[in-house]
Amino acid sequence: MRLKFVPISSEKVRDLQNGGLDFYGNLPIKLISDGGGIPCRHCLEDIAEGDGYLALAFGPFADQHAYAEVGPIFVHSKKCHAYSGKVIPTSFLTREHYIMRAYSKRTKAIIYGSGKRVGSDKITVEAHKLFEKMDTDFIHLRSASYTCFACRVERDEE
Ligand SMILES: [Zn+2]
C-alpha cells in the first residue's frame, strides 16, 4: 500500500490569503516568520525568515461533529503550492514527534486504540499498521507539542 500526505485544500488557503475568514469568522492574524520553525499546512514546508504568514483557527473536517476539533494553524500569506508528495514531508522530519489518530470509515469517529505519539521517523510505518489493522478511513497527524493539525494521511489509490 502506498500513502499520500494531504495538506489543507488550496481552495481554502487561497480564500484565506485573499482576505477570507477563519473557522470562527475572524480575519487571520498577519505575522512575519522569524524562521523559528513555523510550519505552513498547505505546502508543508517551514515558512522562511522574513516571509509573511497567517495564524488562524482551522477545522480539518467537512462536517461539524463531536470529533471535529478546531485549532490554530499557520499558512503562508502569499501563494504557495499544495504538497503532493507520496512520502512524509521533509519538514516533518525536523520535529521529533507527532500525534497520530485514525478515523473510522463507518462512524467518522476517532478509532480508540489508534491514538499515539510517534517519532517522526516512524510515521510511515505506524500509518501502514493503522490502515492494515483497523477500519481506518484516514489518519490525522498533529504537532505533539502544540496539537496543531499538520496533515491528513490517506491510502494512495491512484
Ligand atoms: Zn506554504
Side-chain angles (χ1 to χ4, degrees), residues 17 40-45 47 75-76 78-81:
Q17 291 166 334
C40 174
R41 300 314 189 186
H42 183 237
C43 61
L44 304 185
E45 294 177 11
I47 298 164
V75 294
H76 277 104
K78 290 190 178 163
K79 190 173 178 179
C80 61
H81 295 285

Side-chain angles (χ1 to χ4, degrees), residues 30-155:
K30 294 180 179 179
L31 298 163
I32 302 294
S33 174
D34 62 3
I38 308 287
C40 174
R41 300 314 189 186
H42 183 237
C43 61
L44 304 185
E45 294 177 11
D46 285 342
I47 298 164
E49 183 176 359
D51 284 356
Y53 68 98
L54 304 173
L56 58 119
F58 176 74
F61 292 87
D63 305 322
Q64 294 179 36
H65 51 77
Y67 296 91
E69 294 164 82
V70 175
I73 62 163
F74 307 129
V75 294
H76 277 104
S77 59
K78 290 190 178 163
K79 190 173 178 179
C80 61
H81 295 285
Y83 184 77
S84 60
K86 308 294 185 188
V87 296
I88 189 155
T90 53
S91 68
F92 283 35
L93 298 173
T94 65
R95 275 94 178 163
E96 282 186 41
H97 295 96
Y98 281 81
I99 293 169
M100 175 177 263
R101 290 186 207 137
Y103 290 83
S104 166
K105 263 184 213 171
R106 289 178 298 107
T107 66
K108 302 300 176 200
I110 291 170
I111 299 172
Y112 285 90
S114 74
K116 58 181 77 173
R117 184 173 188 264
V118 297
S120 56
D121 59 334
K122 301 284 191 294
I123 288 172
T124 301
V125 169
E126 293 298 326
H128 276 99
K129 287 182 191 171
L130 291 176
F131 281 120
E132 288 163 5
K133 291 183 181 171
M134 296 185 170
D135 171 39
T136 299
D137 189 20
F138 57 89
I139 294 166
H140 278 181
L141 293 180
R142 291 177 172 268
S143 158
S145 303
Y146 304 101
T147 71
C148 313
F149 175 79
C151 78
R152 176 172 162 135
V153 186
E154 298 176 1
R155 291 180 181 86

